[in-house]
Amino acid sequence: MATRARHRLGRGALVPAALNLVGIGAMTAPAITGLPLAVDLLAPPTERTGILALAVTIGAVAATIANPLFGALSDRTRSRLGARHPWIIGGALFGFAAMGLLLVAPSIGILLTAWVLVQISYNALLAAAAGLLADAVPDAERGRASGAFSAAAFLGTVPPLLLSSVLPDHVGTVTISMSLLAVAIAVVAAALLPSRVAAATAAVTRSPDAEPGGIGSIRRFAPVWASRFIQSVAFGLVTSFMLYLVADRITGTAGAATALTSLSTLSGGAAIVVAALAVGWVADRIDPRILLAGSALLLAGAALVRAGAGSAPVLLVSAVLGGIAMGVFLAVNLTTALRRIPAGAGGRYLGALNVADTLPQIVVPSIAAWLLTLGGPDPISGAADNFTTLCVGAAVVSLAGLAALPFLRSARDGVVEAVVESAGDAGSHEAPRGERT
């Protein structure tokens, strides 16, 4: 029984993962279907693409700012509900209200305002959930918890996508239902993890300059952030404009490319989930640099396979390889980040790490569009967009991420773990222990 308990994830790991799942899920339905349909109803046909592009861009900018901001605020919050719970519950409630406004918006201005409020609200929830992960997960569980948390982000997109495809005439109902689910999970989370577990197992560093914002802590965290940003850019490049790749090289038309593109996306997402969960169970036994290097090499390999993809099987192989690479990378990168965060600063540091995911969403489309123009026509399809150049560029970017590895000597570099009782999960106290460097 004792052995099983040590290998079972506790509430401190599962609750943040559940919050990550419903927070991402609540934003997926409007992003994929609800927002485009609302724009289509309010804007003239000649203006709808420009307005939708504007909405997506300002939403991404709002998310990029909101996540680290609310993460930092949750670090500093002192309330009867604790540091994280007010932002988790408040983010879910305001997100539900903003989603309702988006669905009934009478004008483009109100629609854009509602979408920005949706991004701000749910990023408050997500930032606090990430801070809760840093607070409540003991060091021995961080690899598995990081795998579950990373996998949950992709699992969260599945229910709204499936429901929207099954109920295409009830997108509003699907959208509001996901927001209600987020409220319910937020309330349950507050009940399962009482406020007194806040900052229960945060890392404590030996040196004074490792205080939040100190040069030491920033220096340790910077290579984790840089690695995340580089691999997010690489993955964004290799998956960008995929519908057009499929249309040009395989199906001949964009309409016929939809099914294969969806299947490829689903295959890659499933691979991310499986790989993230699987690597979490071994991440604590293997040097993280080995896993991070392997994921960068595998992602580069997947990009090169896609560079030569001219058939559905090759495309799907590329999607699965890329998904495995990103699943491993995301889980190990998050584990490494958790072990380099100063005590009580999980919200702001993991919020900053989230910027490494959202910032590429703003810059990648422009970079990808430029790469498509290089090297002449596509060597496989003969079309103007050169997807070989785009995919090779993605491989080069992924390999560039290897440059950060020498700065990640150990996921536990200079860290001492302070283990305290977690409500509902542990019944004893342990003295702080030194970790290997």
Side-chain angles (χ1 to χ4, degrees), residues 291-365:
L291 294 171
L292 292 170
S295 66
L297 292 171
L298 185 59
L299 183 57
L304 294 177
V305 170
R306 183 160 298 188
S311 64
V314 176
L315 180 73
L316 294 176
V317 167
S318 169
V320 171
L321 292 177
I324 293 172
M326 283 307 292
V328 171
F329 173 81
L330 292 171
V332 177
N333 177 264
L334 180 56
T335 305
T336 306
L338 288 172
R339 288 177 173 146
R340 289 172 173 247
I341 294 173
R348 76 193 78 170
Y349 277 80
L350 292 181
L353 190 66
N354 184 72
V355 173
D357 286 326
T358 57
L359 193 57
Q361 297 174 24
I362 300 173
V363 301
V364 161

Side-chain angles (χ1 to χ4, degrees), residues 64-258:
T64 300
I65 296 172
N67 201 286
L69 173 61
F70 286 109
L73 289 174
S74 72
D75 287 339
R76 293 176 168 84
T77 297
R78 301 292 180 267
S79 75
R80 295 179 63 184
L81 289 176
R84 314 296 181 189
H85 294 354
W87 301 102
I88 290 171
I89 296 174
L93 289 173
F94 276 97
F96 174 75
M99 201 70 76
L101 178 61
L102 184 144
L103 293 175
V104 299
S107 67
I108 292 297
I110 295 178
L111 179 70
L112 295 178
T113 301
W115 181 236
V116 168
L117 291 175
V118 165
Q119 291 291 328
I120 291 173
S121 300
Y122 285 115
N123 272 280
L125 182 155
L126 294 172
L132 196 61
L133 184 75
D135 291 339
V137 177
D139 186 71
E141 289 186 9
R142 282 178 173 164
R144 286 169 288 151
S146 297
F149 193 80
S150 300
F154 289 88
L155 281 175
T157 65
V158 175
L161 289 175
L162 289 178
L163 289 173
S164 295
S165 63
V166 173
L167 303 170
D169 297 327
H170 302 279
V171 172
T173 301
V174 172
T175 298
I176 209 70
S177 297
M178 294 304 300
S179 294
L180 275 174
L181 180 62
V183 172
I185 295 299
V187 173
V188 171
L192 290 178
L193 285 181
S195 59
R196 70 186 180 92
V197 304
T201 54
V204 181
T205 57
R206 291 192 180 102
S207 56
D209 68 350
E211 292 298 317
I215 188 64
S217 61
I218 293 174
R219 186 170 59 245
R220 275 190 300 277
F221 193 75
V224 180
W225 191 96
S227 179
R228 182 83 160 214
F229 176 78
I230 292 170
Q231 295 306 322
S232 294
V233 170
F235 188 68
L237 289 173
V238 80
T239 55
S240 61
F241 301 113
M242 188 166 61
L243 179 72
Y244 300 147
L245 181 151
V246 174
D248 287 354
R249 291 184 170 187
I250 300 173
T251 64
T253 64
T258 303

Side-chain angles (χ1 to χ4, degrees), residues 392-404:
V392 170
V396 171
V397 172
S398 182
L399 294 176
L402 296 173

